[in-house]
Amino acid sequence: MFDLITVLAAAEATETPADIGKMIGGFAQYGAVGLIIVLLIFGILVPKYVMAGLMAEKDNWRSAFEQERAAHQVTREQLAKAEERGDVATEQGRAMNALLLELGHRPHTAPGSA
């Protein structure tokens, strides 16, 4: 156990690739247990509860993304409908203006405007 602490302390003191190789070599003497510890330290192996938490977080983000996408789609549809309504109102205004001009009504202008 003292060797393990010494190897870890040496690896933290000098962070060069050669020292990492020494650290891995130090763990190699412990066999499969040493290999598993190295894989856990480097994050290659993760415990099941960590992986379950990560998957749950991924699912939460996915559902939030899908809800946001749906909300944006509803907003786009509402904007398209509003644009259509605005186009219809503009056309109705132009038609009404043309009809009034044909009937002889002239628009009233404010005093002082040309």
Side-chain angles (χ1 to χ4, degrees):
M1 185 68 178
F2 182 74
D3 293 331
L4 178 64
I5 295 171
T6 307
V7 170
L8 287 175
E12 289 178 8
T14 59
E15 298 177 0
T16 62
D19 291 334
I20 292 174
K22 287 181 185 177
M23 183 180 78
I24 292 173
F27 280 114
Q29 68 182 346
Y30 297 107
V33 174
L35 178 65
I36 291 173
I37 290 172
V38 169
L39 293 176
L40 284 170
I41 289 172
F42 286 118
I44 296 171
L45 286 180
V46 292
K48 185 177 180 177
Y49 69 91
V50 172
M51 192 64 174
L54 289 173
M55 295 304 284
E57 184 178 354
K58 179 191 76 97
D59 292 339
N60 289 339
W61 279 106
R62 171 69 64 184
S63 65
F65 173 75
E66 294 297 331
Q67 290 172 355
E68 192 68 23
R69 180 188 285 177
H72 281 291
Q73 182 60 33
V74 169
T75 302
R76 282 190 290 274
E77 290 171 1
Q78 290 174 347
L79 286 173
K81 287 179 184 177
E83 184 178 359
E84 290 173 9
R85 289 183 195 127
D87 291 343
V88 168
T90 302
E91 275 304 311
Q92 286 177 345
R94 286 182 185 157
M96 183 62 69
N97 193 22
L99 180 63
L100 288 174
L101 287 174
E102 275 185 34
L103 293 175
H105 294 283
R106 300 286 175 236
H108 296 286
T109 58
S113 65

